[in-house]
Structure formats: C-alpha cells, structure tokens
Amino acid sequence: MFDPGLSYEYHRVGDHSGLTTNRKHVEHLTIYQFRTESYPYLIEVEQYPYQIYVFKFYRRIHKKNKHRFNLMTNEGKCSRIVGTCFSIFLTIFENNPLASFGFLGSHTIDEAKHIIEPKNETRRFVVYRQAVQNYFGMETFTHFEDTGTSIYLSISNKNEDVFGIADKAANLINQLLDL
C-alpha cells in the first residue's frame, strides 16, 4: 500500500538551520521538494533532540498559508506522497540507525465548506499510523501514539533506552502543544 519504491522523485532544496529560531526545540530543518502529476510540494523535515525527525508536507502554493498542513489537496495521491516521506526517512535512517521519526496527523480545515475536524484521532493520523505499521512493522521501531493529539512516534530499537526517549519526546511534545 505505501511503498517508497512508488515515491515521487525528490530533491533537497536546502538546509535551513536559520529558520529554526521560531520553532521551539528544532535543531535543524531540511526542506525537500517533489512534484506530483499536478502540483509541486514541499516536505519540511525538522530534527529534534534525541535524533527524532518530524515530517511535514504541503503544496508549495500554500507555503505562506497558516493552515498549510490542514488543507486537503483532493489529488488522490496520498500513498505516493507518504511513500516519498518514507523514502526520505529511509535515507536518513541508513546514515543514522538511531534516527526515529514522528508526525502529527493535522486536523482538516476547509473554510469554504465550513469543515473543522476535531484534533483527536484525525483522518490523516489514522492513515499515517496504518502506513507506518504496514511498512515499518514492529521489529525495527517501537511505536507510540497519542490519539488525543493525533501524534505518532516511531523510535529506533537501536537506541539503548527506547522508552526513555519516548518519555523525553512526550515532554517535548507537551511543551510544543502548550505554545
């Protein structure tokens, strides 16, 4: 279903460590770009303490939109877009086997249709969770989820203290959600 072999060709736009000043706890930011048959997209990869990478993507045209992560594209390309994120993570993981990753399944906001999805167990969260579990399984990563906030975290089992990292990550996440 989510096969990184079916991902879009992507390229690194650049490293933007200077853009992390307004992003609490972000140590490094790398931006990638790819194009579906219809639209160009950007993927922001934020690196947090404990070698946790968080993937965020959106259509390039929405770059300055405050709801860019909440908008639906209705393109029907979810599996290839998520596969592209997986492909990027696998490249990171090959170079750093202690790398872990996470995501927030943003709630949908469609002002034109007057739709604001609740933030708990969003449709995106359900899809991303299933994709991660199907593709990465349980041997390489230990998976943690918070359905109340639609946050999912996969910690590399090569880390010595997987549950300790999960606890520290939870504290970071709680600080970020309090902003």
Side-chain angles (χ1 to χ4, degrees), residues 30-72:
T30 305
I31 300 177
Y32 296 85
Q33 181 173 296
F34 69 93
R35 181 175 182 80
T36 65
E37 292 79 2
S38 304
Y39 304 109
Y41 284 77
L42 296 173
I43 300 174
E44 296 181 5
V45 180
E46 296 177 333
Q47 182 180 350
Y48 287 86
Y50 318 110
Q51 301 175 74
I52 297 171
Y53 295 81
V54 174
F55 290 75
K56 302 175 176 183
F57 63 88
Y58 51 90
R59 282 184 42 203
R60 189 175 67 196
I61 196 171
H62 298 136
K63 183 176 183 175
K64 296 193 185 293
N65 186 318
K66 68 179 181 179
H67 298 300
R68 66 186 171 274
F69 303 115
N70 307 95
L71 303 173
M72 296 296 287

